[in-house]
Amino acid sequence: MKRSIIAFAITLLTLHAGAQLTNPILPGFHPDPSICRVGNDYYMVNSSFQYFPGVPIFHSRDLKNWEQVGNVLTRESQLKLTDATSWQGIYAPTLRYLPPREGSQEPGRYYMITTNVGQAEHPESANFLVWATSPEGPWSEPVWLKQGGIDPSLLFDDNGRCYMVSNPNNTITLCQIDPATGKQLTPSRPIWQGTGGRYPEGPHIYKKDGYYYLLISEGGTELAHSLTMARSRSIYGPYEACPKNPILTHCRVGAQDSPIQGTGHGDLVQDTLGRWWMVFLAYRNYNGAYHQLGRETFIAPVEWSKDGWPVVNGGMPIEAQQRTPVHRRYDFDAPLGPEWVYIQNPDSAMYLVHNGQMRLHGSRFSLVENKRPTFVGLRQESATFVMDTKITAHDLADGDEAGLCVYQMHNGNVQCFLANYRDILRLRVRLNLKGLKPLLVDKNVPNTDDLWLRVESDSKNYSFYYSTDGEKYLWLESIDCSLLSTETVGGFTGAMLGIYCFQGNNKYQAGRPFADFDYVEYTEQ
């Protein structure tokens, strides 16, 4: 009991500093947040699109400091990503908790429900849910659902029923399901079409003060993105729209000069003090109207007006606060942490962590193709950073490559790599942009077994360097960051910083080439 009181007091003191929360709370490619509170603990998930493992899950005690405790979808049986692009894969998830029934000896359950877009295994609907008794997992095999649309969400009502909402035919639609089997128990019923904005999606239902509140996104996940709300005394409607919709958007005069744009797709949570908060996505522009980091997770306080409607951030635009720069070094002396991801389902034979190194075996598919290349990477979380690695390439034949990459999507990335050209080792920088593949740098490799490669960004340019001793770095090339922005290359994701290996000859030989990476170091400026 004493320990619980102390924990609550710490949470109380921390949350009193809520106005000082640093935005974004999850920087870099962390879109479509969904949050739930269990006791003094907060858990949050994000969409992951074509990356594996899928649906990162985070934990916090204060809504400010978040730690990734795992990924929800960690097995290919849960997540098939064959040929998935950055327009496809895992869309917006919802995370909810169902406490155990009174007197039950069984633990409560966490449920994550989402959509796997582009996979035809279940053509009737791509929506499914998984469950676990601990947020760290393991999570169950998928339970597939009948109702279509995207961005499904769950409400466990106090009457013991489980409701699902999604948006087939651009209409927010409701049904009752059995979460254990996925069986649909009632017909799908349309309940709201929003306020007229395009792409009404991302629905969540909350029960508060005798009302069912329906929160949705409208306008598409670009400049016109917004959050709107409606409510009803009955979960089936009719729903009354909030007279001050949209309750959050930066597509208005007061925020037109803000670097933060595209605010929308949110979820509500009530803290241990009874206060309300909203997590939502937005992106930060650099170099004008370009963003390369992807859609990030922000947070804002919510108050309820006298007539029972939410007011987000006092009706004022959202502002970003500068966070303490982070420094991370990965020496590959242990299995990769949950923050590392692969493009689509990885071939595990191509990756080996041993002797303090990450060994990558060359895939027959390049980063330009969309066929699970040998690549492992981290999210770029700051516009200004330096990333270093030390590489030793082995058995490179003509056309083979190994190096580092800034990857936005398969037709929008830039690579700095070692290559074999007519049995001569070369150091190259290549831009891949919408089918154009200019070779920006092509020079002889110094006479050394080891080479250090570096990419850094000042928010305007990605610059590439090399070193023969890990101390003195020589500049190779710089490219404008806007070339890898969402506005230029498209997609729903953000920039990834990774290492890769590719076998370029036409006669694939398993086991070669390969490259050993001693470490990866990421430092924000």
Side-chain angles (χ1 to χ4, degrees), residues 16-280:
H16 270 305
Q20 304 302 316
L21 288 173
T22 301
N23 264 321
I25 53 174
L26 294 181
F29 163 51
H30 293 102
D32 307 320
S34 178
I35 190 171
C36 72
R37 178 175 68 87
V38 180
N40 294 322
D41 297 289
Y42 302 88
Y43 296 97
M44 188 158 57
V45 293
N46 300 95
S47 54
S48 51
F49 293 89
Q50 83 273 35
Y51 290 102
F52 186 94
V55 187
I57 183 164
F58 296 84
H59 169 256
S60 177
R61 278 292 184 99
D62 58 11
L63 293 174
K64 178 179 181 180
N65 299 290
W66 293 87
E67 176 188 6
Q68 187 173 353
V69 295
N71 294 278
V72 175
L73 306 174
T74 59
R75 305 185 297 276
E76 189 167 350
S77 59
Q78 297 170 311
L79 177 57
K80 293 185 178 180
L81 294 169
T82 306
D83 298 337
T85 70
S86 59
W87 303 100
Q88 299 175 322
I90 294 298
Y91 276 33
T94 296
L95 182 67
R96 295 294 182 257
Y97 177 71
L98 180 63
R101 289 178 294 180
E102 188 174 352
S104 173
Q105 299 300 310
E106 297 200 4
R109 283 187 174 185
Y110 295 84
Y111 287 85
M112 190 282 298
I113 183 172
T114 189
T115 315
N116 189 353
V117 174
Q119 303 301 300
E121 184 179 3
H122 297 270
E124 184 178 39
S125 170
N127 294 322
F128 68 95
L129 64 83
V130 292
W131 62 268
T133 56
S134 168
E136 293 83 2
W139 291 75
S140 73
E141 289 299 300
V143 177
W144 293 94
L145 305 162
K146 181 179 179 181
Q147 182 168 285
I150 61 170
D151 304 353
S153 182
L154 297 175
L155 172 69
F156 294 100
D157 208 347
D158 49 19
N159 59 15
R161 298 188 178 103
C162 177
Y163 296 98
M164 169 187 168
V165 282
S166 59
N167 76 333
N169 303 313
N170 285 315
T171 301
I172 308 304
T173 302
L174 174 82
C175 69
Q176 183 184 340
I177 66 168
D178 179 351
T181 65
K183 181 179 180 181
Q184 187 166 324
L185 303 177
T186 62
S188 296
R189 294 178 57 171
I191 58 174
W192 199 41
Q193 289 186 306
T195 64
R198 64 176 186 164
Y199 305 130
E201 58 192 11
H204 296 301
I205 296 182
Y206 315 88
K207 194 170 186 182
K208 181 182 184 295
D209 300 332
Y211 281 103
Y212 291 93
Y213 285 89
L214 174 58
L215 176 69
I216 74 166
S217 300
E218 299 186 47
T221 187
E222 300 96 18
L223 282 174
H225 209 196
S226 65
L227 282 162
T228 58
M229 179 166 272
R231 70 183 182 187
S232 173
R233 292 289 186 182
S234 167
I235 196 168
Y236 291 105
Y239 279 83
E240 167 198 8
C242 175
K244 294 187 177 180
N245 276 329
I247 62 171
L248 176 64
T249 186
H250 271 201
C251 191
R252 52 175 40 138
V253 171
Q256 68 183 16
D257 296 323
S258 172
I260 300 172
Q261 293 298 329
T263 54
H265 201 108
D267 198 5
L268 291 167
V269 68
Q270 190 175 21
D271 69 23
T272 54
L273 302 179
R275 300 180 303 182
W276 288 82
W277 301 85
M278 177 182 285
V279 294
F280 55 94

Side-chain angles (χ1 to χ4, degrees), residues 16 36 54 237 239 242 258 311 348 370 436 460 474 484 488 512:
H16 270 305
C36 72
Y239 279 83
C242 175
S258 172
V311 178
S348 59
N370 198 43
L436 301 175
K460 296 180 180 179
L474 301 175
L484 297 188
T488 301
R512 61 141 305 270

Side-chain angles (χ1 to χ4, degrees), residues 395-406:
D395 203 14
L396 289 181
D398 193 32
D400 296 343
E401 303 175 7
L404 58 79
C405 178
V406 180

